[in-house]
Amino acid sequence: MKVSLQPILNDANLDAAQSTSQRQLEISVSATPGEIVENVPLNLCLILDRSGSMSGRPLETVKQAAGRLVDRLKEGDRLSVVAFDHRAKVLIPNQIIEDGAAIKRQIGLLKADGGTAIDEGLRLGIEEMAKGKKNAISQAFLLTDGENEHGNNDKCLKLAELAAGYKLTLNALGFGTHWNQDILEQIADAGGGSLSYIERPDRVVEEFARLFNRIQSVGLTNAYLLFELMPKVRLAELKPIAQVAPDTIELPVQQEGERFLVRLGDLMTEQERVILANLYIGQMPEGQQTVVRVQVRYDDPAQGKEGLLSEIVSVEANCVRTYQPSIDPKVQKSILALAKYRQTQIAETKLQQGDRAGAATMLQTAAKTALQMGDKSAATVLQVNATRLQSGEELSEGDRKKTRIVSKTILQSDS
């Protein structure tokens, strides 16, 4: 596996007479298969809510979806299953798949009862995943339908950060409408995974399959994007770097010597990670000028190698005396995706503060942004909810969750 690294400025021309220019740098990163396709074992952990509110059809469909994942695991893959209510229990200890039928029978015995302690489930899930992480792609599916009433949300976030440090990826799935959006989003973002919203039980099998397809395309792990800024170039002070695909996430920036770095996590072969960096470029002489050098540090589990480095790619700007913009449409679409996400976040904050009119205005703005980038499904959700607020209606829990989800990823819904 190799790294594909493609940086491009939203406008590669710079006005040589201007003291400072702002530019957005888009960086697309993915894994590229070599001539020999190497199968890396999957180390999958299912962390499943079995609290009382999951009784009946919800838990039955989750068990069915889990069983189908067991059928898709290959020879050499590992699985562990943790079930939690107000306590947590290891149902299937981390093991290489040998008797899938026996594992499915154990999953089928799950019964719903008790409250919800997400952090206890996370803790045990991370412990089980860590046992099989060597030379494997380690992923967890955390599914819950409730608030963390018997747990500690701060502990959940610390556990997600711990998982990322162990090179384990956490995907969070919110089931129904009563789960805590903030904490599941934080777990998925910090854990380098994705957040999914499953409105109804009949969507569980489909969503598990979609996520499984995504993790099957992971080729490289524990990737970091490294930036070397040239003199007169700096990152914006506030929210300088974000990911806009496959999910929109504000990325924390670290400094390592003279370089800046952000953690990307897993790199997939079938889906790019697209990053936006907000740069300020000082006045430069006329001609082609290097403004940034980028590189990726990563692990290759197929080879059992860590800390590998991709080639360094230089990003150049063309400084001209007579400036004319040269806007790149692909980068412009990424800029709009980030704007949609941030506008929706502002709307949510205003709603929490009781400013319904302000929230409606921001949702309308986000809907227009979504239309500009061709995201019609998001535009519909955002505009409908803006109209509801303007007419004096309350937004349901489901409406608010849809709003947040369409701001950062694809809504898995038939509505």
Side-chain angles (χ1 to χ4, degrees):
M1 284 279 178
K2 300 274 186 178
V3 171
S4 170
L5 179 60
Q6 297 177 309
I8 186 167
L9 291 166
N10 65 318
D11 181 356
N13 289 342
L14 287 179
D15 188 343
Q18 194 164 317
S19 59
T20 306
S21 302
Q22 185 181 16
R23 290 292 182 270
Q24 301 291 331
L25 172 63
E26 180 192 274
I27 305 148
S28 300
V29 190
S30 61
T32 305
E35 292 179 9
I36 301 171
V37 178
E38 297 162 307
N39 288 321
V40 184
L42 184 60
N43 175 33
L44 178 64
C45 181
L46 304 179
I47 306 170
L48 306 176
D49 186 341
R50 62 158 179 197
S51 58
S53 56
M54 289 288 292
S55 65
R57 190 147 175 260
L59 187 58
E60 291 308 310
T61 55
V62 169
K63 290 192 286 188
Q64 180 189 357
R68 291 199 184 182
L69 289 191
V70 173
D71 289 337
R72 293 184 65 182
L73 291 171
K74 299 186 180 75
E75 185 180 349
D77 287 344
R78 305 183 74 94
L79 177 71
S80 52
V81 181
V82 170
F84 67 93
D85 42 46
H86 53 280
R87 295 181 297 271
K89 176 185 176 183
V90 177
L91 187 70
I92 313 283
N94 189 291
Q95 59 189 267
I96 293 175
I97 293 290
E98 290 177 346
D99 188 347
I103 288 172
K104 288 197 289 184
R105 283 196 295 272
Q106 283 180 274
I107 293 171
L109 296 174
L110 273 175
K111 289 183 169 53
D113 192 25
T116 308
I118 296 170
D119 49 352
E120 285 300 301
L122 260 184
R123 182 180 62 79
L124 283 186
I126 290 167
E127 287 177 6
E128 288 304 310
M129 261 202 302
K131 294 174 184 176
K133 71 171 190 166
K134 187 176 180 183
N135 298 340
I137 291 163
S138 300
Q139 298 261 344
F141 291 6
L142 165 69
L143 180 142
T144 183
D145 75 336
E147 293 277 350
N148 192 26
E149 77 260 46
H150 290 277
N152 181 299
N153 288 341
D154 288 338
K155 189 176 175 185
C156 284
L157 181 56
K158 286 175 182 171
L159 284 166
E161 291 168 345
L162 180 71
Y166 281 159
K167 305 176 186 179
L168 312 173
T169 299
L170 304 178
N171 301 283
L173 301 97
F175 190 103
T177 58
H178 300 297
W179 47 279
N180 186 315
Q181 174 96 31
D182 290 328
I183 192 57
L184 282 202
E185 191 168 335
Q186 287 173 11
I187 288 169
D189 289 356
S194 69
L195 173 67
S196 302
Y197 173 28
I198 303 170
E199 290 183 84
R200 299 197 320 271
D202 60 5
R203 309 294 298 198
V204 179
V205 171
E206 180 184 330
E207 185 58 15
F208 268 34
R210 186 188 73 86
L211 266 183
F212 192 80
N213 288 342
R214 176 166 157 169
I215 66 176
Q216 277 191 314
S217 80
V218 171
L220 302 169
T221 60
N222 196 39
Y224 283 81
L225 186 59
L226 311 177
F227 293 83
E228 183 187 355
L229 304 182
M230 297 300 101
K232 299 185 179 180
V233 181
R234 63 180 175 86
L235 288 170
E237 291 179 16
L238 184 64
K239 297 181 178 178
I241 299 176
Q243 176 181 286
V244 295
D247 313 287
T248 306
I249 305 167
E250 303 285 1
L251 294 175
V253 181
Q254 306 168 48
Q255 193 154 2
E256 188 181 80
E258 296 297 312
R259 297 188 298 186
F260 294 94
L261 70 159
V262 293
R263 187 174 189 274
L264 304 179
D266 300 320
L267 298 182
M268 294 157 280
T269 57
E270 296 175 8
Q271 201 168 31
E272 292 178 330
R273 288 199 181 273
V274 181
I275 312 301
L276 269 187
N278 190 4
L279 304 176
Y280 286 90
I281 304 170
Q283 193 170 12
M284 291 185 171
E286 288 181 50
Q288 290 290 115
Q289 303 292 342
T290 300
V291 291
V292 184
R293 292 192 182 102
V294 290
Q295 187 177 30
V296 175
R297 187 171 71 213
Y298 61 96
D299 297 345
D300 187 340
Q303 297 184 48
K305 292 182 178 178
E306 299 182 350
L308 300 172
L309 289 168
S310 73
E311 291 182 2
I312 296 172
V313 180
S314 295
V315 180
E316 294 193 337
N318 183 29
C319 297
V320 292
R321 185 190 298 271
T322 307
Y323 168 73
Q324 288 194 327
S326 176
I327 305 300
D328 185 278
K330 182 176 179 290
V331 185
Q332 199 61 25
K333 189 172 180 180
S334 294
I335 292 170
L336 290 171
L338 184 55
K340 178 190 70 168
Y341 172 69
R342 289 176 175 169
Q343 288 158 357
T344 309
Q345 281 198 315
I346 293 169
E348 175 69 17
T349 301
K350 287 184 179 295
L351 203 54
Q352 290 171 356
Q353 294 169 344
D355 181 3
R356 296 160 62 93
T361 300
M362 286 310 302
L363 286 178
Q364 277 188 318
T365 303
K368 289 174 184 172
T369 304
L371 273 181
Q372 276 183 277
M373 60 181 288
D375 188 353
K376 291 181 182 177
S377 60
T380 300
V381 170
L382 296 166
Q383 183 57 56
V384 165
N385 287 340
T387 304
R388 283 178 178 157
L389 287 175
Q390 287 170 329
S391 64
E393 290 182 49
E394 294 283 344
L395 294 187
S396 68
E397 281 293 317
D399 291 334
R400 291 174 77 158
K401 285 178 168 59
K402 277 188 192 179
T403 298
R404 287 270 288 273
I405 290 288
V406 299
S407 79
K408 69 177 289 158
T409 188
I410 298 168
L411 178 65
Q412 298 301 310
S413 168
D414 59 357
S415 61

Short mmCIF file of all heavy atoms in Angstrom, two decimals, residues 22 46 75 83 137 139 154-155 168 174 188 200 208 213 231 241 245 277 279 282 289 322 329 335 413:
data_model
loop_
_atom_site.label_atom_id
_atom_site.label_comp_id
_atom_site.label_asym_id
_atom_site.label_seq_id
_atom_site.Cartn_x
_atom_site.Cartn_y
_atom_site.Cartn_z
N GLN A 22 -5.23 35.39 1.91
CA GLN A 22 -5.77 34.21 2.57
C GLN A 22 -6.08 33.15 1.51
O GLN A 22 -6.67 33.45 0.48
CB GLN A 22 -7.05 34.56 3.34
CG GLN A 22 -7.60 33.39 4.15
CD GLN A 22 -8.87 33.74 4.90
OE1 GLN A 22 -9.52 34.75 4.61
NE2 GLN A 22 -9.24 32.92 5.86
N LEU A 46 -17.83 -5.22 18.66
CA LEU A 46 -19.19 -4.69 18.72
C LEU A 46 -19.50 -4.36 20.18
O LEU A 46 -19.40 -5.23 21.05
CB LEU A 46 -20.19 -5.71 18.18
CG LEU A 46 -19.95 -6.22 16.76
CD1 LEU A 46 -21.03 -7.23 16.37
CD2 LEU A 46 -19.93 -5.07 15.76
N GLU A 75 -11.39 -15.67 7.23
CA GLU A 75 -10.43 -16.46 8.00
C GLU A 75 -9.29 -15.55 8.47
O GLU A 75 -8.73 -14.78 7.69
CB GLU A 75 -9.86 -17.57 7.12
CG GLU A 75 -8.94 -18.52 7.84
CD GLU A 75 -8.41 -19.62 6.94
OE1 GLU A 75 -8.91 -19.76 5.79
OE2 GLU A 75 -7.48 -20.33 7.37
N ALA A 83 -21.52 -6.22 25.70
CA ALA A 83 -22.90 -5.76 25.88
C ALA A 83 -22.97 -4.93 27.16
O ALA A 83 -22.31 -5.25 28.15
CB ALA A 83 -23.85 -6.94 25.95
N ILE A 137 -6.43 -4.31 11.42
CA ILE A 137 -7.21 -3.07 11.35
C ILE A 137 -8.27 -3.16 12.44
O ILE A 137 -9.16 -4.01 12.39
CB ILE A 137 -7.84 -2.91 9.96
CG1 ILE A 137 -6.74 -2.62 8.93
CG2 ILE A 137 -8.87 -1.79 9.95
CD1 ILE A 137 -7.15 -2.84 7.51
N GLN A 139 -11.31 -1.85 14.65
CA GLN A 139 -12.48 -0.97 14.58
C GLN A 139 -13.53 -1.44 15.57
O GLN A 139 -13.73 -2.64 15.75
CB GLN A 139 -13.09 -1.02 13.17
CG GLN A 139 -12.16 -0.54 12.07
CD GLN A 139 -12.43 0.88 11.66
OE1 GLN A 139 -13.48 1.46 11.97
NE2 GLN A 139 -11.51 1.48 10.93
N ASP A 154 -17.57 12.75 30.38
CA ASP A 154 -16.16 13.13 30.29
C ASP A 154 -15.27 11.89 30.17
O ASP A 154 -14.28 11.89 29.43
CB ASP A 154 -15.74 13.95 31.52
CG ASP A 154 -16.35 15.35 31.50
OD1 ASP A 154 -16.73 15.81 30.41
OD2 ASP A 154 -16.47 15.96 32.57
N LYS A 155 -15.65 10.85 30.89
CA LYS A 155 -14.89 9.59 30.84
C LYS A 155 -14.98 8.98 29.44
O LYS A 155 -14.01 8.43 28.93
CB LYS A 155 -15.42 8.62 31.90
CG LYS A 155 -14.56 7.38 32.07
CD LYS A 155 -15.10 6.52 33.20
CE LYS A 155 -14.32 5.21 33.32
NZ LYS A 155 -14.93 4.31 34.33
N LEU A 168 -6.81 2.46 17.74
CA LEU A 168 -8.11 1.79 17.61
C LEU A 168 -9.13 2.83 17.15
O LEU A 168 -9.13 3.96 17.64
CB LEU A 168 -8.55 1.21 18.96
CG LEU A 168 -7.50 0.39 19.73
CD1 LEU A 168 -8.02 0.03 21.12
CD2 LEU A 168 -7.14 -0.88 18.97
N GLY A 174 -26.07 6.04 16.70
CA GLY A 174 -27.19 6.46 17.53
C GLY A 174 -28.47 5.83 17.02
O GLY A 174 -28.83 5.98 15.86
N ALA A 188 -17.04 9.62 18.27
CA ALA A 188 -16.67 9.30 16.88
C ALA A 188 -15.55 10.20 16.38
O ALA A 188 -14.61 9.73 15.73
CB ALA A 188 -17.90 9.43 15.98
N ARG A 200 -34.79 4.06 12.62
CA ARG A 200 -35.74 2.97 12.90
C ARG A 200 -35.01 1.64 12.89
O ARG A 200 -33.98 1.48 12.23
CB ARG A 200 -36.84 2.94 11.84
CG ARG A 200 -37.69 4.19 11.76
CD ARG A 200 -38.97 3.88 10.99
NE ARG A 200 -38.72 3.00 9.84
CZ ARG A 200 -38.41 3.45 8.61
NH1 ARG A 200 -38.30 4.74 8.39
NH2 ARG A 200 -38.19 2.60 7.63
N PHE A 208 -25.04 -1.21 9.48
CA PHE A 208 -23.90 -2.05 9.84
C PHE A 208 -23.14 -2.48 8.58
O PHE A 208 -21.91 -2.47 8.54
CB PHE A 208 -24.37 -3.29 10.61
CG PHE A 208 -24.40 -3.12 12.11
CD1 PHE A 208 -24.72 -1.91 12.68
CD2 PHE A 208 -24.11 -4.18 12.95
CE1 PHE A 208 -24.75 -1.75 14.07
CE2 PHE A 208 -24.13 -4.05 14.33
CZ PHE A 208 -24.45 -2.83 14.89
N ASN A 213 -18.48 -2.18 5.00
CA ASN A 213 -17.88 -1.96 3.67
C ASN A 213 -16.78 -0.91 3.76
O ASN A 213 -15.73 -1.03 3.13
CB ASN A 213 -18.94 -1.51 2.66
CG ASN A 213 -19.88 -2.63 2.28
OD1 ASN A 213 -19.58 -3.80 2.48
ND2 ASN A 213 -21.03 -2.27 1.74
N PRO A 231 8.60 30.37 5.10
CA PRO A 231 8.60 31.71 5.70
C PRO A 231 7.50 32.56 5.09
O PRO A 231 7.18 32.44 3.91
CB PRO A 231 9.99 32.24 5.35
CG PRO A 231 10.84 31.02 5.18
CD PRO A 231 9.94 29.98 4.60
N ILE A 241 -7.62 23.97 10.72
CA ILE A 241 -7.66 22.77 9.88
C ILE A 241 -8.90 21.95 10.20
O ILE A 241 -9.24 21.73 11.37
CB ILE A 241 -6.39 21.91 10.08
CG1 ILE A 241 -5.14 22.71 9.69
CG2 ILE A 241 -6.46 20.63 9.26
CD1 ILE A 241 -3.83 22.00 9.93
N ALA A 245 -14.38 15.46 4.33
CA ALA A 245 -14.88 14.18 3.80
C ALA A 245 -13.98 13.06 4.36
O ALA A 245 -12.79 13.28 4.55
CB ALA A 245 -14.85 14.17 2.27
N ALA A 277 -7.03 23.36 5.01
CA ALA A 277 -6.19 24.17 5.89
C ALA A 277 -6.35 25.64 5.50
O ALA A 277 -6.29 25.98 4.31
CB ALA A 277 -4.73 23.75 5.78
N LEU A 279 -4.87 29.15 5.35
CA LEU A 279 -3.52 29.73 5.35
C LEU A 279 -3.56 31.25 5.14
O LEU A 279 -4.41 31.76 4.41
CB LEU A 279 -2.67 29.12 4.23
CG LEU A 279 -2.50 27.62 4.18
CD1 LEU A 279 -1.71 27.24 2.93
CD2 LEU A 279 -1.80 27.10 5.43
N GLY A 282 2.09 35.78 3.34
CA GLY A 282 2.62 37.14 3.25
C GLY A 282 3.09 37.47 1.84
O GLY A 282 3.13 36.61 0.95
N GLN A 289 6.26 30.25 -6.26
CA GLN A 289 6.80 30.24 -4.90
C GLN A 289 6.21 29.06 -4.12
O GLN A 289 5.00 28.86 -4.13
CB GLN A 289 6.46 31.55 -4.17
CG GLN A 289 6.94 32.81 -4.86
CD GLN A 289 8.45 32.95 -4.87
OE1 GLN A 289 9.14 32.30 -4.09
NE2 GLN A 289 8.98 33.78 -5.77
N THR A 322 0.00 41.40 -12.21
CA THR A 322 -1.39 41.69 -12.57
C THR A 322 -2.24 40.48 -12.16
O THR A 322 -2.31 39.47 -12.87
CB THR A 322 -1.53 41.94 -14.08
OG1 THR A 322 -0.59 42.95 -14.46
CG2 THR A 322 -2.93 42.37 -14.43
N PRO A 329 -12.84 24.78 -8.65
CA PRO A 329 -14.22 24.44 -8.25
C PRO A 329 -14.30 23.31 -7.22
O PRO A 329 -15.20 23.31 -6.38
CB PRO A 329 -14.88 24.04 -9.58
CG PRO A 329 -13.77 23.74 -10.52
CD PRO A 329 -12.61 24.57 -10.09
N ILE A 335 -14.93 24.04 0.60
CA ILE A 335 -15.12 25.24 1.44
C ILE A 335 -16.59 25.38 1.81
O ILE A 335 -16.94 25.69 2.96
CB ILE A 335 -14.61 26.49 0.70
CG1 ILE A 335 -13.08 26.43 0.54
CG2 ILE A 335 -15.01 27.77 1.44
CD1 ILE A 335 -12.50 27.48 -0.38
N SER A 413 -31.28 7.46 6.00
CA SER A 413 -32.72 7.52 6.27
C SER A 413 -33.47 7.41 4.97
O SER A 413 -32.98 7.77 3.92
CB SER A 413 -33.06 8.85 6.97
OG SER A 413 -34.44 9.04 6.99
#
